[in-house]
């Protein structure tokens, strides 16, 4: 949960509340789809059916998706990240290193779910889902809709879609969907 607060706040400040919410919803669906694709491929190729019959519930795949997006933000690309205070890792390799370290120290975690999140994050960053995300102008227009201005925009933590490059860059450029 604490990871969501840090990463989520940073990404929401970058792209706006509405865009970030849609990113989370798509991440849930895409990460789950990739998880199922991995399970089907393992079943067909190696006749490993366990993942097809395993129950999997959680948000960690989405967190790995968000961590990939965060690591590709311009301010983090050049700086190394600390892996549990033990070692410094290149920012772009951080989600992969975290996947391996978590699996070594906690082998019962969902390796496949975390892997699906990382793959979803990279696909998102490299524009594979561009057709799923509206353009920047749509988010700015949506912020002016009466329903939004009367309800969501009154919430103190609501972040409007960025209008210019002074505080934010292009939302989808920063999340890899430009």
């Amino acid at each position: 949960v604490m990871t969501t607060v840090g990463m989520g706040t940073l990404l929401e400040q970058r792209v706006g509340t509405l865009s970030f919410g849609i990113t989370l919803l798509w991440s849930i669906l895409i990460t789950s789809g990739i998880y199922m694709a991995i399970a089907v491929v393992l079943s067909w190729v190696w006749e490993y059916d366990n993942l097809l019959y395993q129950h999997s519930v959680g948000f960690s795949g989405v967190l790995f998706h968000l961590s990939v997006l965060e690591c590709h933000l311009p301010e983090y690309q050049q700086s190394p990240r600390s892996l549990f205070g033990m070692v410094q890792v290149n920012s772009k390799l951080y989600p992969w290193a975290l996947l391996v370290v978590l699996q070594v120290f906690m082998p019962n975690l969902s390796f496949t779910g975390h892997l699906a999140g990382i793959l979803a994050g990279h696909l998102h960053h490299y524009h594979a889902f561009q057709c799923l995300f509206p353009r920047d102008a749509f988010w700015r227009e949506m912020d002016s809709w009466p329903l939004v201005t009367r309800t969501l925009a009154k919430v103190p933590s609501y972040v409007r879609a960025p209008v210019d490059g002074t505080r934010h860059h292009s939302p989808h450029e920063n999340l890899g969907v430009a």
Side-chain angles (χ1 to χ4, degrees):
V1 174
M2 292 307 293
T3 303
T4 309
V5 172
M7 262 189 306
T9 301
L10 175 69
L11 292 170
E12 181 181 13
Q13 289 295 319
R14 175 68 56 147
V15 301
T17 300
L18 295 175
S19 179
F20 181 69
I22 295 300
T23 299
L24 281 178
L25 292 174
W26 275 119
S27 180
I28 292 167
L29 296 173
I30 292 166
T31 300
S32 299
I34 291 173
Y35 181 93
M36 288 306 303
I38 291 170
V40 168
V41 167
L42 287 174
S43 175
W44 286 347
V45 175
W46 287 291
E47 297 180 9
Y48 181 77
D49 292 338
N50 290 357
L51 290 178
L52 289 175
Y53 301 107
Q54 177 180 343
H55 299 293
S56 179
V57 177
F59 198 68
S60 59
V62 173
L63 294 178
F64 272 85
H65 179 167
L66 295 177
S67 74
V68 170
L69 297 179
E70 180 194 32
C71 288
H72 283 89
L73 290 174
E75 60 265 29
Y76 291 112
Q77 285 183 351
Q78 302 303 322
S79 60
R81 305 284 300 262
S82 174
L83 194 62
F84 299 115
M86 297 184 293
V87 64
Q88 296 290 317
V89 178
N90 179 311
S91 181
K92 289 183 181 179
L93 297 176
Y94 179 74
W96 295 101
L98 190 59
L99 173 70
V100 171
V101 169
L102 284 174
Q103 200 61 39
V104 167
F105 289 116
M106 296 181 258
N108 291 330
L109 292 179
S110 175
F111 177 83
T112 311
H114 296 166
L115 176 64
I118 291 174
L119 295 175
H122 282 291
L123 288 169
H124 186 167
H125 175 71
Y126 291 109
H127 312 294
F129 307 127
Q130 191 169 3
C131 62
L132 302 177
F133 293 92
R135 295 281 179 210
D136 300 349
F138 174 79
W139 298 116
R140 288 190 293 272
E141 179 187 330
M142 197 170 173
D143 274 337
S144 66
W145 290 359
L147 179 64
V148 173
T149 58
R150 282 183 280 170
T151 56
L152 292 175
K154 291 184 179 181
V155 176
S157 59
Y158 180 80
V159 179
R160 291 187 172 279
V163 176
D164 58 12
T166 56
R167 188 172 69 134
H168 312 290
H169 297 288
S170 168
H172 299 296
E173 173 185 313
N174 288 324
L175 291 182
V177 186

